[in-house]
Amino acid sequence: PIPDVRSISAKAFGSLTRGLGEATFPDLRPWLIETLMSEDGSSVERSGAAQGLTEVLMASGAGLVENVMHEEILPLRSHPKASTREGVLWVLTFLPSSLGQAFTPLIDSSLPALLGGLSDESEQVRDVAMRAGRVMIRSHGKAHVDKILPSLEEGLIDEDYRIRVASLTLLGDLLSLIGGTKVVKGDGDTQEDVRQAERAQAQIALALGSDTRKRVLSSLYMARSDTAAVVRQSAVQVWKTVVSVTPRTLREILDVLVGQIVTALASGHPEQTQVAGRCLGDIVHKLGDAVLPEIIPVLRDALYRGDEHTRRGVCVGLIEVIGCASKEQIIKFLDILVKAVQDALCDEDEGVRQMAASCFQSLYTVVGNRALDEVVPVLLVAMESSEGDQVARHRALNGLTGILSIRSKELLPYLVPRLLSKPMTKNHADALGSIASVTGGTIHLHFHSIISTLMSELSSFSGQDLDEEEEKREEAIRECARVVCGSVEEIGVNFLISEVASKCSSDKDSMRTEACRMFQVIIEERAEEADFYEQIPIMLRDLIARLNDESSLVLKACNAALKSLTTHVPAEELVNHIEFIRNLIASMVSDARRRKGGVGDGEFLLPGFNMPKGLEPMLPIYQRGILYGNAIIREASAAGLGELINLTASKYLAGPFIIKMTGPLLRIVGDRNPSNVKIAIIQTLGLILTKGGPALRAFVPQFQTTFVKALSDPSRQVRTEAIKALSLLMPLSTRLDPLIKELVAGSLGKGPSAAVETAGAVAVQTATLEALAVVINRGGGKAKLPISIPSALDAGKDMIFHEDDGVREAAAKVIGAACALLGEETTSDVVQELILEKSDTSADRKHGKACCCHRILASEVGKQIDDELLSSMSSLVKRLMKDEKSNVREAACVAVGAVIGSASDTSSCIADVESAILRCMDPKETMEVHTSELQSPMYLVCR
C-alpha cells in the first residue's frame, strides 16, 4: 500500500527486463496484465500492476509499447468489468509521464478511453480517469495542445453532465498550464487574481492563436449557462482563471460566441437549445445596447435561412433576448423583433409556432398592446387580401391562431366581428374554425354572435339549389360549427347549449332544423369529454318539443339528434330522465289535443314517431329502464313505452321493431316486481298486442304463459289487467285447448295457485273464471277438442253456487259463454239443471241462479230458448226481485233486462214484469238495487 514501495518495485522490474531481456521472464507481462484486469484485487494492486507494466514496456522499447497498448490494453477500455476499465486507466496514469515525448503517437487513441472513463458509472473508475487526464495534460499539454484541446471541447457539449464537468476541469488545467497560473478556487475577484488572469489571457492568446482562443472561450462561456449546477460552477471558476474583464472579453469573442449560440439553438437538442438561450440572455443582460445590434440581425437571418430546428432555436433565443433586455432596448429594435416574431408565428412547423407564441407573449409582457397593434393588423390584411394565394393566407392564419392561443381575451373581440360579416365566406369559416381550436377557454364569451351567425348562414341554404361554390361554402360553415362545438372547454358548454336551445322555437322551419342538427353535432363532438350531461334535460326538452313539428325536415333532424343522444350517451345516464321525458311528452300531447283544431279525446299520433324508425331513438332508454332500473324506473319505463306506442300508428311499429320492444317486457314481467310495475308492463303488452298484430304470433306462448301466471298475482289490478290482455291475445292464439284446460283447473282450485291461502285462492279463482269466460267468448270457436268447452261449462256449474259472490258472477259468465257455443239443447239442460231446480232456499243459490239467468239470456243462445222455458225463468226472476237479500235483488234486477230482451213478445213480457220493476224502484230500496236496475236495459223501456 506504500506508493514508494510500489514505485521502486516497478523500476526493479524495468531494470531486470532491460538487463536480462523480456524473454527471461515470459510470464511477467501476462501476469501484470492479468492483475490489471483482476476483479478480486484492490485498486492499489491494480495501480501497482499498471506501474510495473509501464516500466516493463519501457524497457522493451517504444515499438512494443505501441503494439501492447493498441492490441492488449486500450481495447479493454469498454470491458464490462469496472476493475478492468480501471486497470486500463491506471496504465494511462503512469505511461505518459514515463514515456515522455514517446507517448505522442498514443495521445489520439488514449483520449477516447480517458473521456469514456470520466463518465463511467463507477466512481472509482471516474477518479482514476481524472487522474490520468491531469497527468496527460501536465506531461503533454503544452506540446500537444492541438491534439488534446478538440477532445475537451467536444466533452463540453456531451449529453452526460459528468463528462462536461470533467472536461471543464481538464480544460481548466490545460489553460492554467498554458497561461502559467492556477485554477481559482474562490471568487477570483482579488487584485492578484485579476493580474494572474491578465497574464494567463496573454499567454493563452499567444499559444492558441486568436481563432482557437475565441472558440475555446466561447465554449467556456456557454458552459456557464449549463443546465447542471455543478457544470456552471466549474465553468465560472475556469473562466475567472483565464479572463480578467468579462465584458471586454465578451466583445472580443462576440462574433464566435453568437455563432456557437445559433448553432446550439439549431441543434434540435432540447438541453443545448436551453443552454444557448440562457447564454444569449446573459450576454444581453451584460452588454445591452452594445450587443443587440449584432445579435438580432444574426437571429433574424437564421430564422429565414435555417431549418425547423434552427427556427425553433431562434425563437428560444428571442425569448431570452426579450426577457433580459430593458424596455427601452426592446422598443429601439421593436420593428426588427416584431417582424421576426410575426414570421415565426406564421411558420409551417407547429413547434416553431408554439415557440413563437411564447416569444410573442414575452414581447407583449414588455410592450403591452403595442405588440398586438403591430402584428395583428398585418396578419388580418394578409389573410383577407390573399384570396388567391392560399399559402400566404394559411401562413397568416397560422400567425393569428398562434397569438390567440395565448392572448385570446384581448384579440377575440377585435377579430370575431370581422370573421362573422355576412355572407360568411369559405375563408372566414375556415379561419373561425382554426381560431376556435386554440381559444376553447374564452370563445364561449362570443357564442351569442358566433352561434347565431353560423345557424343563420346554414339555415339560408335550406331549400336552395346550390352551385358548386355555394356547396363548398356550406360545407366549410358546417365544419366550422363542428370545430366550434368540439373545441370549447367545459366552462363554455352551458353557453353553447343554451344558445342553440334558444333557436329551437324559431318561427322559421330552417332555423329549427339547424338547431336540431347543432344539438346532434354537440353530442357527437363532445361524446368523449361527456361534459354536457348536466344540460341533457335542456336538450331533451327542446328536441321532444320538436317531435310535434309541422316540418318533415325538422322531424328528420330531431330524430337524428335523438338517435345521436341515445347512441353516444350511456343508457344508464339517460334512464335517470325517464320521468322527465314522460312529463314532456304528456304535456306536449295534452297541448296538441286541446288547442284549436286538435283532436280532443280522439286518437292522436305524434308526427315525430310516425315516420320510418321514428320511435327507434327513444327505445334504448326505455329498454334500459325496464331491464335494469329499480322499481320506480321500471314502472315509469314500462308505462312510458305504452304511451309511446299509443302515439304511434301500427304501420310504424310492425316487423322487427315491435319484437324488439316485446322481448324485454316479457323477460322481466315474471321477476319479483311490485304490483304497480307488473300492471304497467301488462298494460303495455296489451297495447303491443293491439298494435302489433300478426307479427307477434311467434310470441303467443310467452304472452299466454305471462298472462295466466299474472292471474294468480296477489294484486287485484294485476289480475284484471291480465284478463284484459288475454282478451287481446285471442285473435292471435291458435291453440286454445291447453289454455282452456289450464284455466279450468285454476278455476276449480287445482292449478299452481291451489296452495294460496283461502282468501287469496277465492280471488284467484274469480280471476281465472273471468279469464276463462273471456277466452271462450273471444276464441272459444277455435277449440278443437270436443271436451274443451264442456269442461269449461262443468267448471262454471261447479262454481255457480260458491259461497263467494264474485266467484258466482264469474262462473255465470263462463256458463253463458259456454252455452252460446254449445247451442240451445245444452242450454235448456243447463237451465233445467241449475236455474229451475227447486232447492233454492239459500241466498247463495238464489244469487247464482239470478246471475246465470242474466248471462245465458244475454248471450246469443238466449233468443233460441223456447217460450215455456223463458216464462219459467221470468217467473223465477220476478220472485228473486222480491227476495229479502239485497245481493239477490241486485242480480235479479240486472237479469230482468235480459229476460225482456230474449222474449219474442216484448210488450207482454214488459207488462208481466212491470210491477216487480216498479217495486224495486221504491225510494226505500237500497242504493245498490237502484244501481243494478239502472244497469238493466229494461229501465229505459219502462221510462
Side-chain angles (χ1 to χ4, degrees):
I2 301 173
D4 288 344
V5 174
R6 297 199 302 275
S7 177
I8 292 171
S9 299
K11 288 179 180 178
F13 271 139
S15 299
L16 287 171
T17 303
R18 194 177 294 108
L20 301 176
E22 189 176 4
T24 309
F25 311 101
D27 298 329
L28 179 59
R29 182 154 51 90
W31 175 77
L32 290 171
I33 293 175
E34 184 180 347
T35 305
L36 272 180
M37 298 173 59
S38 174
E39 194 173 5
D40 299 330
S42 66
S43 183
V44 170
E45 290 174 348
R46 287 188 285 275
S47 170
Q51 203 167 356
L53 181 62
T54 298
E55 294 293 338
V56 169
L57 292 175
M58 285 173 57
S60 301
L64 183 63
V65 172
E66 286 189 42
N67 185 53
V68 171
M69 287 298 292
H70 286 134
E71 298 296 330
E72 297 185 46
I73 303 300
L74 290 177
L76 298 174
R77 69 175 186 267
S78 56
H79 197 277
K81 292 181 181 179
S83 57
T84 302
R85 299 195 297 274
E86 182 189 341
V88 173
L89 292 168
W90 275 118
V91 173
L92 294 177
T93 302
F94 296 112
L95 198 59
S97 56
S98 299
L99 281 179
Q101 292 303 312
F103 186 75
T104 301
L106 293 172
I107 290 176
D108 291 338
S109 55
S110 298
L111 282 171
L114 282 174
L115 293 174
L118 291 171
S119 64
D120 199 277
E121 59 186 17
S122 168
E123 186 178 358
Q124 202 165 355
V125 175
R126 294 197 299 273
D127 291 342
V128 177
M130 178 60 74
R131 184 171 183 171
R134 285 183 152 165
V135 168
M136 185 181 293
I137 286 172
R138 280 199 304 272
S139 57
H140 295 83
K142 276 189 175 181
H144 301 290
V145 66
D146 56 328
K147 289 179 176 290
I148 296 173
L149 193 56
S151 296
L152 297 180
E153 287 182 275
E154 287 182 13
L156 290 178
I157 58 173
D158 196 274
E159 290 187 6
D160 193 324
Y161 81 95
R162 294 192 188 96
I163 290 185
R164 298 202 297 275
V165 172
S167 298
L168 274 170
T169 304
L170 296 177
L171 180 61
D173 289 348
L174 179 59
L175 293 178
S176 60
L177 179 68
I178 295 172
T181 184
K182 291 182 179 179
V183 177
V184 297
K185 299 298 182 184
D187 293 336
D189 294 332
T190 64
Q191 287 295 323
E192 180 61 26
D193 290 333
V194 172
R195 282 194 294 272
Q196 285 184 4
E198 286 281 1
R199 287 195 298 271
Q201 200 165 355
Q203 292 291 330
I204 289 168
L206 190 63
L208 299 181
S210 177
D211 292 344
T212 304
R213 169 182 169 270
K214 287 182 179 180
R215 188 182 73 243
V216 171
L217 290 180
S218 296
S219 300
L220 183 58
Y221 192 80
M222 280 187 66
R224 290 169 50 129
S225 301
D226 199 274
T227 54
V230 65
V231 177
R232 295 196 298 272
Q233 184 179 1
S234 181
V236 169
Q237 290 179 345
V238 176
W239 177 265
K240 288 183 177 180
T241 300
V242 296
V243 174
S244 56
V245 183
T246 296
R248 184 184 67 195
T249 305
L250 282 177
R251 290 188 189 95
E252 292 173 1
I253 66 172
L254 188 60
D255 55 340
V256 177
L257 178 56
V258 171
Q260 286 192 4
I261 288 173
V262 172
T263 301
L265 289 173
S267 65
H269 191 284
E271 195 170 11
Q272 289 186 26
T273 303
Q274 185 180 357
V275 169
R278 285 182 178 178
C279 183
L280 188 58
D282 187 48
I283 296 171
V284 172
H285 182 70
K286 283 186 170 65
L287 301 183
D289 288 341
V291 72
L292 283 176
E294 295 186 39
I295 289 177
I296 292 178
V298 171
L299 292 176
R300 181 191 60 196
D301 294 342
L303 183 66
Y304 297 142
R305 292 198 307 266
D307 59 11
E308 66 271 12
H309 297 301
T310 304
R311 299 197 297 274
R312 289 180 195 176
V314 168
C315 290
V316 173
L318 287 173
I319 292 171
E320 293 293 340
V321 168
I322 294 168
C324 295
S326 66
K327 184 174 181 178
E328 292 74 19
Q329 291 168 341
I330 294 298
I331 292 174
K332 187 175 180 180
F333 296 96
L334 188 60
D335 291 343
I336 300 175
L337 286 171
V338 164
K339 186 67 173 69
V341 172
Q342 178 182 310
D343 288 339
L345 283 168
C346 299
D347 200 276
E348 293 300 318
D349 183 76
E350 186 178 356
V352 176
R353 294 199 301 273
Q354 289 176 352
M355 298 304 301
S358 301
C359 188
F360 180 85
Q361 174 66 19
S362 300
L363 191 62
Y364 183 88
T365 303
V366 176
V367 301
N369 285 331
R370 187 173 174 184
L372 289 172
D373 297 338
E374 293 283 345
V375 176
V376 174
V378 177
L379 295 177
L380 277 174
V381 170
M383 187 182 74
E384 294 182 345
S385 63
S386 304
E387 294 291 335
D389 188 352
Q390 292 297 321
V391 175
R393 193 187 68 79
H394 184 63
R395 283 178 58 83
L397 186 57
N398 283 342
L400 286 172
T401 53
I403 298 172
L404 283 164
S405 66
I406 53 171
R407 306 304 312 178
S408 59
K409 278 190 177 179
E410 293 83 354
L411 186 53
L412 278 177
Y414 175 73
L415 195 58
V416 167
R418 302 187 65 161
L419 295 176
L420 294 180
S421 57
K422 295 183 179 180
M424 182 181 280
T425 65
K426 179 181 180 298
N427 286 340
H428 279 184
D430 292 340
L432 182 58
S434 299
I435 287 168
S437 65
V438 295
T439 56
T442 54
I443 197 169
H444 63 274
L445 300 174
H446 305 272
F447 272 164
H448 180 68
S449 55
I450 291 174
I451 300 301
S452 296
T453 302
L454 288 175
M455 293 181 65
S456 176
E457 289 288 316
L458 289 171
S459 66
S460 67
F461 295 115
S462 180
Q464 302 295 319
D465 187 13
L466 305 179
D467 57 23
E468 186 177 350
E469 284 299 317
E470 285 295 282
E471 286 179 357
K472 289 181 179 178
R473 190 165 77 90
E474 181 187 11
E475 184 180 347
I477 296 174
R478 289 201 183 280
E479 184 58 30
C480 172
R482 188 169 286 274
V483 173
V484 168
C485 294
S487 300
V488 64
E489 292 181 3
E490 184 176 355
I491 190 174
V493 174
N494 184 33
F495 291 86
L496 174 63
I497 292 176
S498 298
E499 195 61 43
V500 175
S502 68
K503 303 294 185 290
C504 275
S505 55
S506 169
D507 56 355
K508 294 181 180 178
D509 295 354
S510 55
M511 185 62 80
R512 299 197 300 275
T513 302
E514 291 306 326
C516 293
R517 287 175 179 168
M518 191 69 83
F519 273 139
Q520 180 182 353
V521 169
I522 292 170
I523 293 163
E524 290 172 354
E525 291 300 313
R526 310 208 64 79
E528 204 168 311
E529 289 83 2
D531 52 9
F532 61 93
Y533 287 4
E534 290 184 3
Q535 280 75 45
I536 285 177
I538 297 174
M539 302 172 83
L540 285 170
R541 179 196 66 195
D542 289 293
L543 288 174
I544 287 175
R546 299 276 63 78
L547 291 172
N548 195 30
D549 204 280
E550 298 172 353
S551 168
S552 61
L553 288 176
V554 176
L555 293 177
K556 288 179 182 177
C558 178
N559 182 272
L562 286 171
K563 177 67 175 173
S564 181
L565 184 68
T566 54
T567 301
H568 293 95
V569 178
E572 56 266 28
E573 172 67 30
L574 292 174
V575 81
N576 297 321
H577 305 286
I578 195 79
E579 198 62 55
F580 179 63
I581 294 171
R582 287 185 67 197
N583 291 336
L584 288 173
I585 293 174
S587 176
M588 176 180 59
V589 171
S590 177
D591 290 345
R593 287 180 181 276
R594 305 304 169 195
R595 70 187 177 192
K596 188 176 180 180
V599 297
D601 292 330
E603 184 183 36
F604 175 76
L605 299 176
L606 192 62
F609 294 156
N610 290 274
M611 56 188 288
K613 297 184 177 180
L615 205 54
E616 187 174 8
M618 308 298 292
L619 195 56
I621 308 174
Y622 290 88
Q623 283 184 322
R624 176 76 191 189
I626 289 167
L627 289 173
Y628 304 107
N630 56 33
I632 296 173
I633 290 179
R634 280 189 173 184
E635 180 187 4
S637 300
L641 185 58
E643 292 159 4
L644 300 191
I645 293 169
N646 254 334
L647 298 171
T648 310
S650 298
K651 67 177 182 178
Y652 296 110
L653 294 171
F657 195 65
I658 195 84
I659 294 171
K660 194 187 295 185
M661 288 191 288
T662 306
L665 291 168
L666 289 173
R667 196 180 314 159
I668 64 108
V669 70
D671 294 352
R672 292 185 176 179
N673 292 308
S675 58
N676 53 345
V677 176
K678 292 182 180 178
I679 291 166
I681 293 173
I682 294 173
Q683 286 175 339
T684 301
L685 287 172
L687 284 169
I688 289 174
L689 284 169
T690 304
K691 298 267 188 172
L696 296 170
R697 201 175 294 279
F699 285 95
V700 167
Q702 292 98 308
F703 276 113
Q704 193 167 290
T705 302
T706 298
F707 299 150
V708 171
K709 185 177 179 182
L711 293 173
S712 305
D713 196 87
S715 167
R716 180 177 179 274
Q717 186 62 33
V718 172
R719 298 194 299 270
T720 302
E721 294 300 332
I723 294 167
K724 293 178 183 176
L726 271 174
S727 172
L728 296 171
L729 182 64
M730 287 303 100
L732 298 179
S733 187
T734 55
R735 299 182 60 196
L736 266 294
D737 300 288
L739 176 59
I740 292 172
K741 183 178 180 181
E742 185 176 359
L743 292 174
V744 166
S747 64
L748 295 174
K750 299 176 182 177
S753 58
V756 182
E757 70 277 5
T758 306
V762 170
V764 170
Q765 281 181 294
T766 304
T768 309
L769 284 166
E770 294 274 2
L772 181 57
V774 165
V775 168
I776 296 172
N777 262 326
R778 299 294 299 272
K782 299 179 185 178
K784 297 177 182 177
L785 295 178
I787 63 168
S788 294
I789 305 302
S791 66
L793 178 60
D794 292 341
K797 289 158 65 175
D798 287 346
M799 306 304 293
I800 192 63
F801 300 131
H802 194 275
E803 60 187 15
D804 183 77
D805 289 5
V807 174
R808 293 195 296 272
E809 289 172 4
K813 292 178 184 178
V814 173
I815 292 170
C819 286
L821 291 175
L822 294 174
E824 185 269 334
E825 186 177 343
T826 303
T827 303
S828 298
D829 293 342
V830 170
V831 172
Q832 291 288 352
E833 181 183 350
L834 293 182
I835 299 174
L836 300 181
E837 58 92 22
K838 301 302 182 183
S839 56
D840 54 356
T841 53
S842 70
D844 292 345
R845 295 183 72 84
K846 293 175 184 176
H847 180 261
K849 289 181 179 183
C851 292
C852 207
C853 281
H854 170 216
R855 294 301 172 182
I856 290 175
L857 294 175
S859 68
E860 294 178 4
V861 78
K863 288 281 189 180
Q864 301 172 15
I865 295 176
D866 62 64
D867 293 341
E868 184 181 348
L869 203 57
L870 181 61
S871 176
S872 300
M873 294 174 73
S874 175
S875 300
L876 175 64
V877 170
K878 284 192 295 180
R879 188 171 70 252
L880 294 178
M881 290 175 73
K882 304 173 188 176
D883 196 85
E884 60 183 9
K885 294 290 185 181
S886 61
N887 67 329
V888 176
R889 296 199 302 276
E890 290 169 27
C893 285
V894 175
V896 74
V899 169
I900 297 171
S902 301
S904 56
D905 185 358
T906 306
S907 300
S908 60
C909 186
I910 291 174
D912 184 42
V913 298
E914 181 178 0
S915 59
I917 293 173
L918 291 173
R919 189 181 300 108
C920 289
M921 295 174 67
D922 191 320
K924 296 179 181 179
E925 186 58 87
T926 64
M927 182 64 69
E928 288 78 8
V929 173
H930 286 166
T931 304
S932 299
E933 198 163 27
L934 287 172
Q935 293 175 9
S936 171
M938 187 53 211
Y939 179 77
L940 296 176
V941 177
C942 292
R943 294 287 291 180

